[in-house]
Amino acid sequence: MSKEKNSTCSFCSRDKEQTGELIASPTGSFICRDCVEICSEILFPQQSMADVAEGEEQAQAQKIPFNLLAPKEIKHVLDDYVIGQDYAKRTLSVAVYNHYKRVQNNLFHPEGAHDLEMEKSNVLLLGPSGCGKTLLAKTLAKVLDVPFTIFDATTVTEAGYVGEDVENIILRLIQAADGDIEKAQYGIIYVDEIDKKAKKGENMSITRDVSGEGVQQSLLKIIEGTHCNVPPKGGRKHPNQDYIQIDTRNILFICAGAFVGLEDVIRGRLGRRVIGFADQGNGVKSDAEIEEIMREVEPGDLVKYGLIPELIGRLPVISTLNPLKEEDLVHILTNVKNSIIKQYQYILMSDGIKLSFSDEALKEMAHQAIDKGTGARGLRSILEKSMLELMFELPSRTDVEEVIISKEFVSEGTEPEYILKKAKSKKSS
């Protein structure tokens, strides 16, 4: 100790009182901290503190198993695939960003390194069939580059009854991740038809509601976040079975349903039969009226509808989607990426045939989808049915340059308009 006290730095000759702690070598010489830093800069001039920080940041970024974008960027991508639903896209973009930002912070900071703990931003989507709920969730998974799976809540029952266990939801996500457990733990699970799991009523019954409230109860833990034991081959659990263990704390759950009749529950709470619209006296509610009512939804309305409060508490982000109008459906047919019409045009173009649709034909398909109440989902079946015979014949014809689809072709099944290669004259065939 006395030797160190009276020693000086072998490089700068300053003593301990001037430099602070001295680092001793096995040979009895000493060096101060300032000289160590100077030596480091001489030996590694390119390795500045900024470079070190940047290198650490890049190393951390490589650990992130997803592609996180800002909310505006997420919505911009959603706009390419989903028409309308601006409010829902904004809500989802913020919720997804907050969720994966939370996951990112947890990856960078070990547990206990910070006092603030952010809750999961699971989402509940309310909207009629064919309005874009599933497509929104699927596109989000594509943007983030994470595994994605869709699960129909109507197939799930309580453990011990005929049907699927809730653990099979997690198994499907693992399968979507090609068996990569680590990657699956940051995926998105879309639970469809969650409204079909609403309690059958507020009155007590002598029979168990094995596919309703019981399923909601069994969903609570995996949605909130838990270590889940999943049978590797699916099916029911049994003793002495090997399990896959997966942490669901970072899995984003998006639950969705049509919630038919929920607007009446909201209307009853507000104490008004009509909000902002004249009562026509025929009991028929317009789409605009339903849209305005659904924007007023509150957790209490969902409880009255039949969802248990514990489940609603684990779905803090609630967003509504509106029924699609005719112009929206026409836009979906023509302008979105991967539209069904573009797919047909691509197929026929590979055979050297141009495919065109009149404006009236597009409107007719949209009108039929609205009449059937199928929304955008029904457009494919309408077009597939209309194009069946045409697609059967056209690949065998070498004289056709262009086919023009008319309204009558869609509505009545009449022949389309052909433009032939040689004569370039219009005639029906």
Side-chain angles (χ1 to χ4, degrees):
M1 291 295 294
S2 60
K3 184 179 180 181
E4 181 181 344
K5 183 176 181 180
N6 298 324
S7 299
T8 61
C9 174
S10 301
F11 286 82
C12 65
S13 299
R14 292 184 298 170
D15 58 27
K16 185 176 180 181
E17 292 183 359
Q18 295 174 300
T19 63
E21 293 293 332
L22 293 172
I23 302 171
S25 73
T27 61
S29 59
F30 297 89
I31 186 171
C32 67
R33 293 182 183 275
D34 292 340
C35 290
V36 169
E37 291 183 7
I38 292 172
C39 291
S40 297
E41 291 177 2
I42 294 172
L43 292 172
F44 309 105
Q46 76 286 0
Q47 194 74 2
S48 65
M49 294 304 294
D51 292 332
V52 172
E54 184 179 352
E56 291 179 353
E57 186 176 335
Q58 290 176 353
Q60 287 181 332
Q62 290 176 356
K63 297 179 183 178
I64 304 176
F66 46 82
N67 178 33
L68 182 59
L69 301 178
K72 280 189 176 181
E73 295 172 319
I74 295 173
K75 182 182 179 296
H76 181 71
V77 178
L78 293 177
D79 288 337
D80 290 336
Y81 292 89
V82 182
I83 300 301
Q85 313 299 2
D86 190 72
Y87 174 73
K89 286 187 284 192
R90 286 174 176 268
T91 304
L92 272 174
S93 298
V94 172
V96 166
Y97 176 80
N98 288 345
H99 173 79
Y100 282 98
K101 195 66 176 180
R102 161 189 167 271
V103 174
Q104 185 184 79
N105 290 338
N106 289 341
L107 284 173
F108 288 170
H109 302 287
E111 204 168 312
H114 51 85
D115 297 330
L116 183 62
E117 183 177 350
M118 295 177 63
E119 298 293 333
K120 286 181 69 176
S121 299
N122 296 313
V123 181
L124 177 62
L125 297 178
L126 318 175
S129 176
C131 66
K133 300 188 297 294
T134 307
L135 183 57
L136 278 171
K138 191 181 297 184
T139 306
L140 282 171
K142 183 177 180 180
V143 171
L144 295 160
D145 191 25
V146 294
F148 174 78
T149 189
I150 300 174
F151 199 86
D152 190 341
T154 59
T155 64
V156 185
T157 59
E158 280 190 71
Y161 293 86
V162 176
E164 292 195 82
D165 283 342
V166 292
E167 285 82 3
N168 286 337
I169 301 176
I170 308 299
L171 177 62
R172 291 193 185 183
L173 186 65
I174 295 172
Q175 292 168 343
D178 296 324
D180 188 335
I181 306 298
E182 181 69 22
K183 192 173 182 180
Q185 291 181 148
Y186 304 100
I188 295 177
I189 293 178
Y190 181 82
V191 184
D192 201 9
E193 307 282 5
I194 192 66
D195 55 318
K196 303 301 189 296
K197 292 302 170 186
K199 292 187 292 185
K200 294 177 181 177
E202 297 178 349
N203 298 328
M204 296 295 293
S205 172
I206 59 172
T207 59
R208 281 184 61 82
D209 185 9
V210 299
S211 66
E213 181 179 357
V215 172
Q216 293 186 56
Q217 294 283 356
S218 60
L219 283 170
L220 296 179
K221 279 294 181 184
I222 65 169
I223 289 180
E224 181 180 25
T226 186
H227 286 87
C228 186
N229 292 321
V230 181
K233 295 183 180 179
R236 296 296 187 185
K237 291 182 178 180
H238 58 78
N240 304 320
Q241 184 180 19
D242 293 329
Y243 295 107
I244 300 171
Q245 190 173 77
I246 185 169
D247 188 352
T248 68
R249 288 178 298 175
N250 294 324
I251 296 175
L252 178 64
F253 285 82
I254 300 178
C255 299
F259 288 86
V260 177
L262 179 61
E263 66 273 13
D264 295 326
V265 175
I266 301 170
R267 188 196 303 266
R269 171 177 59 82
L270 295 173
R272 289 178 287 170
R273 291 189 61 229
V274 180
I275 304 174
F277 295 90
D279 186 0
Q280 299 175 355
N282 54 12
V284 178
K285 298 181 284 292
S286 68
D287 287 343
E289 181 187 351
I290 294 175
E291 289 173 23
E292 185 172 339
I293 293 172
M294 290 296 285
R295 290 195 199 104
E296 303 288 336
V297 65
E298 292 183 357
D301 302 321
L302 295 167
V303 172
K304 193 167 184 180
Y305 188 85
L307 296 187
I308 60 176
E310 297 89 344
L311 180 61
I312 298 169
R314 287 161 175 79
L315 300 168
V317 181
I318 301 174
S319 184
T320 58
L321 286 82
N322 305 322
L324 295 174
K325 300 178 176 60
E326 184 177 292
E327 56 266 30
D328 296 327
L329 295 173
V330 170
H331 202 117
I332 289 170
L333 283 169
T334 56
N335 294 338
V336 301
K337 289 185 177 180
N338 300 324
S339 73
I340 181 64
I341 280 183
K342 289 179 182 177
Q343 294 175 37
Y344 270 102
Q345 289 173 333
Y346 176 80
I347 292 171
L348 288 179
M349 185 60 69
S350 64
D351 292 324
I353 301 172
K354 182 180 178 182
L355 178 63
S356 304
F357 290 79
S358 69
D359 292 341
E360 291 73 20
L362 297 172
K363 291 178 181 178
E364 176 62 24
M365 284 186 281
H367 183 70
Q368 288 186 22
I370 291 174
D371 282 349
K372 293 178 180 179
T374 53
R377 187 175 287 112
L379 291 173
R380 175 176 286 274
S381 61
I382 292 169
L383 190 57
E384 292 273 4
K385 183 178 179 181
S386 300
M387 295 289 291
L388 176 62
E389 292 300 323
L390 188 62
M391 294 301 294
F392 181 78
E393 296 289 343
L394 277 180
S396 301
R397 295 189 60 169
T398 58
D399 60 328
V400 178
E401 181 175 292
E402 183 178 358
V403 179
I404 302 174
I405 303 301
S406 64
K407 176 184 176 181
E408 291 72 25
F409 173 84
V410 177
S411 61
E412 302 171 14
T414 61
E415 285 290 315
E417 188 176 3
Y418 293 97
I419 297 179
L420 303 183
K421 288 183 178 178
K422 292 181 180 179
K424 302 264 179 116
S425 58
K426 298 181 181 179
K427 70 174 184 177
S428 294
S429 171

Coordinates of all heavy atoms in Angstrom, one line a residue, residues 252-313:
L252 N -49.3 -10.4 -29.7 CA -50.4 -9.5 -29.8 C -51.6 -10.2 -30.2 O -51.6 -10.9 -31.2 CB -50.0 -8.4 -30.9 CG -51.1 -7.4 -31.2 CD1 -51.4 -6.5 -29.9 CD2 -50.7 -6.5 -32.4
F253 N -52.7 -10.0 -29.5 CA -54.0 -10.6 -29.8 C -54.9 -9.6 -30.3 O -55.1 -8.5 -29.8 CB -54.6 -11.3 -28.5 CG -53.9 -12.5 -28.1 CD1 -52.8 -12.5 -27.3 CD2 -54.5 -13.8 -28.5 CE1 -52.2 -13.7 -26.9 CE2 -53.9 -14.9 -28.1 CZ -52.7 -14.9 -27.3
I254 N -55.5 -9.9 -31.5 CA -56.5 -9.1 -32.1 C -57.8 -9.9 -32.2 O -57.8 -10.9 -33.0 CB -56.1 -8.6 -33.5 CG1 -54.8 -7.8 -33.4 CG2 -57.2 -7.7 -34.1 CD1 -54.3 -7.3 -34.8
C255 N -58.7 -9.5 -31.4 CA -60.0 -10.2 -31.4 C -61.0 -9.4 -32.2 O -61.0 -8.2 -32.2 CB -60.5 -10.4 -30.0 SG -59.5 -11.4 -28.9
A256 N -61.9 -10.1 -32.9 CA -62.8 -9.4 -33.8 C -64.2 -10.1 -33.9 O -64.3 -11.4 -33.6 CB -62.2 -9.3 -35.2
G257 N -65.2 -9.4 -34.2 CA -66.5 -9.9 -34.4 C -67.5 -8.9 -34.9 O -67.2 -7.7 -34.9
A258 N -68.6 -9.4 -35.4 CA -69.6 -8.5 -36.0 C -70.5 -7.8 -35.0 O -70.9 -6.7 -35.1 CB -70.5 -9.3 -37.0
F259 N -70.7 -8.5 -33.8 CA -71.4 -8.0 -32.7 C -72.8 -7.5 -33.2 O -73.2 -6.3 -32.9 CB -70.7 -6.9 -32.0 CG -69.5 -7.4 -31.2 CD1 -68.3 -7.7 -31.7 CD2 -69.7 -7.8 -29.8 CE1 -67.2 -8.2 -31.0 CE2 -68.7 -8.3 -29.1 CZ -67.4 -8.5 -29.7
V260 N -73.5 -8.3 -33.9 CA -74.8 -7.9 -34.4 C -75.8 -7.6 -33.2 O -75.9 -8.4 -32.3 CB -75.4 -9.1 -35.2 CG1 -76.8 -8.7 -35.7 CG2 -74.5 -9.4 -36.4
G261 N -76.4 -6.5 -33.2 CA -77.3 -6.1 -32.2 C -76.7 -5.2 -31.1 O -77.4 -4.7 -30.2
L262 N -75.4 -5.1 -31.2 CA -74.7 -4.2 -30.1 C -75.2 -2.8 -30.2 O -75.3 -2.1 -29.2 CB -73.2 -4.3 -30.3 CG -72.3 -3.5 -29.4 CD1 -72.6 -3.9 -27.9 CD2 -70.9 -3.5 -29.7
E263 N -75.6 -2.3 -31.4 CA -76.0 -0.9 -31.5 C -77.3 -0.7 -30.7 O -77.5 0.4 -30.2 CB -76.2 -0.6 -33.0 CG -77.4 -1.3 -33.7 CD -76.9 -2.6 -34.3 OE1 -75.8 -3.1 -34.0 OE2 -77.7 -3.2 -35.1
D264 N -78.1 -1.8 -30.5 CA -79.3 -1.6 -29.7 C -79.0 -1.5 -28.2 O -79.6 -0.8 -27.5 CB -80.2 -2.8 -29.9 CG -80.8 -2.9 -31.3 OD1 -81.0 -1.8 -31.9 OD2 -80.9 -4.0 -31.8
V265 N -77.9 -2.2 -27.8 CA -77.4 -2.1 -26.4 C -76.9 -0.6 -26.1 O -77.2 0.0 -25.1 CB -76.3 -3.1 -26.1 CG1 -75.8 -2.9 -24.7 CG2 -76.8 -4.5 -26.3
I266 N -76.2 -0.1 -27.1 CA -75.6 1.2 -27.0 C -76.8 2.3 -27.0 O -76.8 3.2 -26.2 CB -74.6 1.6 -28.1 CG1 -73.5 0.5 -28.1 CG2 -74.1 3.0 -28.0 CD1 -72.6 0.6 -29.3
R267 N -77.7 2.1 -27.9 CA -78.9 3.0 -28.0 C -79.6 3.0 -26.7 O -80.1 4.0 -26.2 CB -79.8 2.5 -29.1 CG -80.9 3.4 -29.5 CD -81.9 2.7 -30.3 NE -81.3 2.2 -31.5 CZ -81.3 2.8 -32.7 NH1 -81.8 4.0 -32.8 NH2 -80.7 2.2 -33.7
G268 N -79.8 1.8 -26.0 CA -80.5 1.8 -24.8 C -79.8 2.5 -23.7 O -80.5 3.1 -22.8
R269 N -78.5 2.4 -23.6 CA -77.7 3.1 -22.6 C -77.8 4.6 -22.8 O -78.0 5.4 -21.8 CB -76.3 2.7 -22.7 CG -75.4 3.5 -21.8 CD -73.9 3.0 -21.8 NE -73.4 3.0 -23.1 CZ -72.8 4.1 -23.7 NH1 -72.8 5.3 -23.1 NH2 -72.3 4.0 -24.9
L270 N -77.8 5.1 -24.1 CA -77.8 6.5 -24.3 C -79.3 7.1 -24.1 O -79.4 8.3 -24.1 CB -77.4 6.8 -25.8 CG -75.9 6.5 -26.0 CD1 -75.6 6.6 -27.5 CD2 -75.0 7.4 -25.2
G271 N -80.2 6.2 -24.1 CA -81.6 6.6 -23.8 C -82.3 7.3 -25.0 O -83.2 8.0 -24.9
R272 N -81.8 7.0 -26.2 CA -82.4 7.6 -27.4 C -82.5 6.5 -28.4 O -81.7 5.7 -28.6 CB -81.5 8.7 -28.0 CG -81.4 9.9 -27.2 CD -80.5 10.9 -27.8 NE -79.1 10.5 -27.6 CZ -78.1 11.1 -28.2 NH1 -78.3 12.1 -29.1 NH2 -76.8 10.7 -28.0
R273 N -83.6 6.5 -29.1 CA -83.9 5.5 -30.2 C -83.1 5.9 -31.4 O -82.6 5.0 -32.1 CB -85.4 5.5 -30.5 CG -86.2 4.9 -29.4 CD -87.7 4.7 -29.9 NE -87.7 3.7 -31.0 CZ -88.3 3.9 -32.2 NH1 -88.9 5.0 -32.4 NH2 -88.3 3.0 -33.1
V274 N -82.9 7.1 -31.7 CA -82.2 7.6 -32.9 C -81.2 8.6 -32.5 O -81.5 9.5 -31.7 CB -83.1 8.1 -34.0 CG1 -82.3 8.5 -35.2 CG2 -84.1 7.0 -34.4
I275 N -80.0 8.6 -33.0 CA -78.9 9.6 -32.7 C -78.6 10.3 -33.9 O -78.0 9.8 -34.9 CB -77.7 8.9 -32.1 CG1 -78.0 8.0 -30.9 CG2 -76.6 9.9 -31.8 CD1 -76.9 7.2 -30.4
G276 N -79.1 11.6 -34.0 CA -78.7 12.4 -35.1 C -79.4 12.2 -36.4 O -79.1 12.8 -37.4
F277 N -80.4 11.3 -36.4 CA -81.1 11.0 -37.6 C -82.6 11.0 -37.3 O -83.1 10.6 -36.3 CB -80.7 9.7 -38.2 CG -79.3 9.7 -38.7 CD1 -78.3 9.3 -37.8 CD2 -78.9 10.0 -40.0 CE1 -77.0 9.3 -38.2 CE2 -77.6 10.0 -40.4 CZ -76.6 9.7 -39.5
A278 N -83.4 11.4 -38.3 CA -84.8 11.4 -38.1 C -85.4 10.0 -38.1 O -84.9 9.1 -38.8 CB -85.5 12.2 -39.3
D279 N -86.3 9.7 -37.2 CA -86.9 8.4 -37.1 C -87.9 8.2 -38.2 O -88.9 8.9 -38.3 CB -87.6 8.3 -35.7 CG -88.1 6.9 -35.5 OD1 -87.9 6.0 -36.3 OD2 -88.7 6.6 -34.4
Q280 N -87.6 7.2 -39.1 CA -88.5 7.0 -40.2 C -89.7 6.2 -39.8 O -90.6 6.1 -40.7 CB -87.7 6.3 -41.3 CG -86.5 7.1 -41.8 CD -85.7 6.3 -42.8 OE1 -85.9 5.2 -43.0 NE2 -84.6 7.0 -43.3
G281 N -89.7 5.7 -38.6 CA -90.9 5.0 -38.2 C -91.1 3.6 -38.7 O -92.0 2.9 -38.4
N282 N -90.1 3.1 -39.5 CA -90.2 1.7 -40.0 C -89.3 0.7 -39.3 O -89.2 -0.4 -39.7 CB -89.9 1.7 -41.5 CG -88.6 2.3 -41.9 OD1 -87.8 2.6 -41.0 ND2 -88.4 2.6 -43.1
G283 N -88.6 1.2 -38.3 CA -87.7 0.3 -37.5 C -86.4 0.0 -38.2 O -85.6 -0.8 -37.7
V284 N -86.2 0.4 -39.4 CA -85.0 0.1 -40.2 C -83.9 1.1 -39.9 O -84.2 2.3 -40.0 CB -85.3 0.0 -41.7 CG1 -84.0 -0.3 -42.5 CG2 -86.3 -1.1 -42.0
K285 N -82.8 0.7 -39.5 CA -81.7 1.6 -39.2 C -80.8 1.7 -40.4 O -80.4 0.7 -41.0 CB -80.9 1.1 -38.0 CG -81.7 1.0 -36.7 CD -80.9 0.5 -35.6 CE -80.6 -1.0 -35.7 NZ -81.8 -1.8 -35.5
S286 N -80.4 2.9 -40.8 CA -79.5 3.2 -41.9 C -78.1 2.9 -41.5 O -77.8 2.8 -40.3 CB -79.6 4.6 -42.4 OG -79.1 5.5 -41.4
D287 N -77.2 2.6 -42.5 CA -75.8 2.4 -42.2 C -75.2 3.5 -41.5 O -74.4 3.4 -40.6 CB -75.1 2.1 -43.5 CG -75.4 0.7 -44.1 OD1 -75.9 -0.1 -43.3 OD2 -75.1 0.5 -45.3
A288 N -75.5 4.8 -41.9 CA -75.0 5.9 -41.3 C -75.4 6.0 -39.8 O -74.6 6.4 -39.0 CB -75.4 7.2 -42.0
E289 N -76.6 5.7 -39.5 CA -77.0 5.7 -38.1 C -76.3 4.7 -37.3 O -75.8 5.0 -36.2 CB -78.5 5.4 -38.1 CG -79.1 5.4 -36.6 CD -80.5 5.0 -36.6 OE1 -81.2 4.8 -37.6 OE2 -81.0 4.8 -35.4
I290 N -76.1 3.5 -37.8 CA -75.4 2.4 -37.1 C -74.0 2.8 -36.9 O -73.4 2.6 -35.8 CB -75.5 1.1 -37.9 CG1 -77.0 0.6 -37.9 CG2 -74.6 0.0 -37.2 CD1 -77.2 -0.7 -38.7
E291 N -73.3 3.4 -37.9 CA -72.0 3.9 -37.7 C -71.8 4.8 -36.6 O -70.9 4.7 -35.8 CB -71.5 4.5 -39.0 CG -71.3 3.6 -40.2 CD -71.0 4.3 -41.5 OE1 -70.5 5.5 -41.4 OE2 -71.2 3.7 -42.6
E292 N -72.7 5.8 -36.5 CA -72.7 6.8 -35.5 C -72.9 6.2 -34.1 O -72.2 6.6 -33.1 CB -73.7 7.9 -35.7 CG -73.6 9.1 -34.7 CD -74.4 10.3 -35.1 OE1 -74.8 10.4 -36.3 OE2 -74.7 11.1 -34.2
I293 N -73.8 5.3 -34.0 CA -74.1 4.6 -32.7 C -72.9 3.8 -32.3 O -72.5 3.9 -31.1 CB -75.4 3.7 -32.8 CG1 -76.6 4.6 -33.1 CG2 -75.5 2.9 -31.6 CD1 -77.9 3.8 -33.4
M294 N -72.3 3.0 -33.2 CA -71.2 2.2 -32.8 C -70.0 2.9 -32.3 O -69.2 2.4 -31.6 CB -70.8 1.3 -34.0 CG -71.9 0.2 -34.3 SD -72.1 -1.0 -33.0 CE -70.6 -2.0 -33.2
R295 N -69.8 4.2 -32.8 CA -68.7 5.0 -32.3 C -68.8 5.3 -30.8 O -67.8 5.7 -30.2 CB -68.6 6.3 -33.1 CG -68.2 6.1 -34.5 CD -67.8 7.4 -35.1 NE -67.7 7.4 -36.6 CZ -68.7 7.9 -37.4 NH1 -69.7 8.5 -36.8 NH2 -68.6 7.8 -38.7
E296 N -70.0 5.1 -30.3 CA -70.3 5.5 -28.8 C -70.0 4.2 -27.9 O -70.3 4.3 -26.7 CB -71.7 6.0 -28.7 CG -72.1 7.2 -29.5 CD -71.4 8.4 -29.0 OE1 -71.1 8.5 -27.8 OE2 -71.2 9.4 -29.8
V297 N -69.5 3.1 -28.5 CA -69.4 1.9 -27.7 C -68.5 2.1 -26.5 O -67.5 2.8 -26.6 CB -68.9 0.8 -28.5 CG1 -67.5 1.0 -29.0 CG2 -69.0 -0.6 -27.8
E298 N -68.9 1.5 -25.4 CA -68.1 1.6 -24.1 C -68.0 0.1 -23.6 O -68.8 -0.7 -23.9 CB -68.7 2.5 -23.1 CG -68.7 4.0 -23.5 CD -69.3 4.8 -22.4 OE1 -69.8 4.3 -21.4 OE2 -69.3 6.1 -22.6
P299 N -67.0 -0.1 -22.7 CA -66.8 -1.5 -22.2 C -68.1 -2.0 -21.5 O -68.4 -3.2 -21.6 CB -65.7 -1.3 -21.1 CG -64.9 -0.2 -21.7 CD -65.9 0.8 -22.3
G300 N -68.8 -1.1 -20.9 CA -70.1 -1.6 -20.2 C -71.1 -2.2 -21.2 O -71.8 -3.1 -20.9
D301 N -71.1 -1.6 -22.4 CA -72.0 -2.1 -23.5 C -71.6 -3.6 -23.9 O -72.5 -4.4 -24.1 CB -72.0 -1.2 -24.7 CG -72.4 0.2 -24.4 OD1 -73.3 0.4 -23.6 OD2 -71.7 1.1 -24.9
L302 N -70.3 -3.8 -23.9 CA -69.8 -5.1 -24.3 C -70.1 -6.1 -23.2 O -70.4 -7.3 -23.5 CB -68.3 -5.1 -24.6 CG -67.9 -4.2 -25.8 CD1 -66.4 -4.0 -25.8 CD2 -68.4 -4.9 -27.1
V303 N -70.1 -5.7 -21.9 CA -70.4 -6.6 -20.8 C -71.9 -7.0 -20.9 O -72.3 -8.1 -20.8 CB -70.1 -5.9 -19.5 CG1 -70.7 -6.7 -18.3 CG2 -68.6 -5.7 -19.3
K304 N -72.7 -6.0 -21.2 CA -74.2 -6.3 -21.3 C -74.4 -7.2 -22.5 O -75.4 -8.0 -22.5 CB -74.9 -5.0 -21.5 CG -76.4 -5.1 -21.3 CD -77.1 -3.8 -21.1 CE -78.6 -4.0 -20.8 NZ -79.3 -2.7 -20.6
Y305 N -73.6 -7.1 -23.6 CA -73.8 -7.9 -24.8 C -73.4 -9.4 -24.4 O -74.0 -10.3 -25.1 CB -72.9 -7.4 -25.9 CG -73.1 -8.0 -27.2 CD1 -74.1 -7.6 -28.1 CD2 -72.3 -9.1 -27.6 CE1 -74.3 -8.2 -29.3 CE2 -72.5 -9.7 -28.8 CZ -73.5 -9.3 -29.7 OH -73.7 -9.9 -30.9
G306 N -72.5 -9.6 -23.5 CA -72.2 -10.9 -23.1 C -70.7 -11.2 -22.9 O -70.4 -12.4 -22.6
L307 N -69.8 -10.3 -23.1 CA -68.4 -10.5 -22.9 C -68.2 -10.3 -21.4 O -68.7 -9.3 -20.8 CB -67.5 -9.6 -23.7 CG -67.6 -9.8 -25.2 CD1 -66.5 -8.9 -25.9 CD2 -67.4 -11.2 -25.6
I308 N -67.3 -11.1 -20.8 CA -67.0 -10.9 -19.4 C -66.1 -9.7 -19.2 O -65.2 -9.4 -20.0 CB -66.4 -12.2 -18.8 CG1 -65.1 -12.6 -19.4 CG2 -67.4 -13.3 -18.9 CD1 -64.4 -13.8 -18.8
P309 N -66.2 -9.0 -18.0 CA -65.4 -7.8 -17.8 C -63.9 -8.1 -17.8 O -63.1 -7.3 -18.3 CB -65.8 -7.4 -16.4 CG -67.2 -7.9 -16.2 CD -67.2 -9.2 -17.0
E310 N -63.5 -9.3 -17.3 CA -62.1 -9.6 -17.3 C -61.5 -9.7 -18.7 O -60.3 -9.3 -18.9 CB -61.8 -11.0 -16.6 CG -62.3 -11.0 -15.2 CD -63.7 -11.4 -15.0 OE1 -64.5 -11.3 -15.9 OE2 -64.1 -11.7 -13.8
L311 N -62.2 -10.2 -19.7 CA -61.7 -10.3 -21.0 C -61.7 -8.9 -21.7 O -60.7 -8.6 -22.3 CB -62.7 -11.2 -21.9 CG -62.3 -11.4 -23.4 CD1 -60.9 -12.0 -23.5 CD2 -63.3 -12.2 -24.1
I312 N -62.7 -8.1 -21.4 CA -62.7 -6.7 -22.0 C -61.5 -5.9 -21.4 O -60.8 -5.1 -22.1 CB -64.0 -6.0 -21.7 CG1 -65.2 -6.8 -22.3 CG2 -64.0 -4.6 -22.1 CD1 -66.5 -6.3 -21.9
G313 N -61.2 -6.2 -20.1 CA -60.0 -5.5 -19.5 C -58.7 -5.8 -20.2 O -57.8 -5.0 -20.1

